[in-house]
Amino acid sequence: MKIEFLYPQGKTKALTFSYDDGQIFDRKLVEIFNYFGVKGTFHLNSGLLNQDGFVTGEELRKLYSGHEVSCHGVSHKYLRHISNTQFIKEIWDDRISLEQLSGELVLGMSYAFGEYSDEIVQRLQSLGIRYARTVESTQSFAIPGDFMRWRPTCHHNDNILEKAEIFLNPPDYMKCPLFYIWGHSFEFEKDQNWHIIEAFCKKIAFQSDVWYATNLEIEGYLSAVRNLTFNVEETICLNNSAYSVWLKHGDKNIEVKPGKNSL
């Protein structure tokens, strides 16, 4: 019998946002996200908090409540331009500060200046980073093959309203599309185009078949899906993760809870 994965609660689509740098315009963006019930991940430079134009450490926990706080490096350095010791401090110290301020696990990041390499990926993994976003757009709704080189769908200035139409009404062959938008909140202020993100959120919010999730929630769930173990006849499924995973089994949606499950 055919088995397909679904998003939590049997939803068939997922949406996530990713915004860098932690400038004061995050306040307005978070307000928009909260109003429409969508979720974002905010990649912050802990060494720039409290400086002019940036959010403060004191407001961080309340401001980003319900969203995700993630690494962007302590001071937004080029990761290829620093020594091994500086690299460790840039990421490790960022994690420490952001975890203390947010009260949450900080396990993801976005690459400062979009700069990464195989060596950088290996170092990040040794420091506990589970995913890292690039700035290379796929122009698709495909789920990532490599979370440490996670390519988003597009930047928010890249016709997201038109893409929303396809995302909400995908062709039959498109299974579990993931719409991943990235950018910087200061760009809305600079370009005076806050109306774009407001119109997009209004169009895409409150859809019964869409899972609104942070980057880390997506990574955790899809990793759990990929680590499921089935018997040959696909009548038993072992879920070794802490997540419930949802599958379409024939014409039924099934919740596969942690542990051994009969299908």
Side-chain angles (χ1 to χ4, degrees):
M1 188 174 290
K2 186 178 180 181
I3 291 179
E4 297 178 358
F5 95 88
L6 300 166
Y7 292 118
Q9 284 72 55
K11 296 180 187 295
T12 56
K13 306 178 183 74
L15 172 70
T16 193
F17 295 91
S18 182
Y19 279 83
D20 295 349
D21 295 356
Q23 292 198 20
I24 55 175
F25 307 106
D26 277 7
R27 296 167 183 162
K28 183 171 181 177
L29 184 58
V30 169
E31 184 179 357
I32 293 169
F33 284 175
N34 289 345
Y35 181 82
F36 288 105
V38 301
K39 287 187 177 183
T41 292
F42 293 86
H43 309 280
L44 309 181
N45 308 109
S46 57
L48 301 182
L49 298 174
N50 305 314
Q51 295 190 18
D52 287 345
F54 292 86
V55 301
T56 66
E58 183 179 7
E59 72 179 306
L60 187 149
R61 184 176 303 204
K62 182 177 180 180
L63 174 62
Y64 298 111
S65 177
H67 303 278
E68 178 193 356
V69 169
S70 178
C71 287
H72 200 39
V74 170
S75 51
H76 206 282
K77 292 179 179 177
Y78 284 94
L79 295 182
R80 287 177 177 165
H81 296 193
I82 56 181
S83 69
N84 290 342
T85 301
Q86 290 174 314
F87 182 98
I88 292 170
K89 287 182 62 64
E90 180 74 1
I91 304 304
W92 194 251
D93 289 358
D94 204 33
R95 279 195 66 192
I96 291 172
S97 296
L98 295 176
E99 287 184 344
Q100 290 175 343
L101 291 168
S102 69
E104 301 290 343
L105 288 167
V106 174
L107 300 173
M109 67 172 287
S110 64
Y111 293 108
F113 305 105
E115 182 180 80
Y116 67 97
S117 67
D118 291 346
E119 183 180 8
I120 286 172
V121 166
Q122 292 173 359
R123 289 178 184 173
L124 291 175
Q125 290 175 318
S126 72
L127 295 173
I129 298 297
R130 289 184 8 190
Y131 76 82
R133 194 210 77 229
T134 74
V135 297
E136 302 155 344
S137 298
T138 65
Q139 300 297 326
S140 77
F141 305 122
I143 63 174
D146 183 352
F147 283 110
M148 294 303 297
R149 299 169 180 81
W150 195 347
R151 299 172 63 195
T153 301
C154 64
H155 185 274
H156 64 241
N157 281 338
D158 194 1
N159 300 314
I160 57 174
L161 289 172
E162 290 84 349
K163 288 180 173 65
E165 283 291 337
I166 301 172
F167 175 73
L168 292 174
N169 302 283
D172 291 340
Y173 66 81
M174 190 179 291
K175 303 298 182 182
C176 289
L178 168 61
F179 200 164
Y180 187 153
I181 296 171
W182 79 281
H184 306 82
S185 61
F186 70 78
E187 294 170 319
F188 292 116
E189 189 70 14
K190 176 175 68 71
D191 298 335
Q192 286 298 292
N193 63 355
W194 285 101
H195 63 279
I196 289 178
I197 195 65
E198 291 173 334
F200 176 84
C201 288
K202 182 177 181 180
K203 184 179 188 68
I204 215 156
F206 309 116
Q207 302 287 328
S208 61
D209 59 349
V210 177
W211 179 35
Y212 305 98
T214 66
N215 292 186
L216 186 59
E217 287 173 334
I218 299 249
E219 183 276 332
Y221 185 80
L222 291 179
S223 294
V225 169
R226 290 168 178 172
N227 288 322
L228 293 176
T229 301
F230 295 88
N231 68 331
V232 176
E233 295 179 334
E234 293 187 333
T235 57
I236 300 173
C237 179
L238 181 62
N239 179 1
N240 285 320
S241 76
Y243 297 83
S244 279
V245 171
W246 290 78
L247 302 175
K248 185 174 184 180
H249 188 228
D251 59 355
K252 296 189 300 182
N253 291 353
I254 297 175
E255 179 184 6
V256 180
K257 296 181 179 180
K260 181 180 178 182
N261 294 259
S262 296
L263 301 182

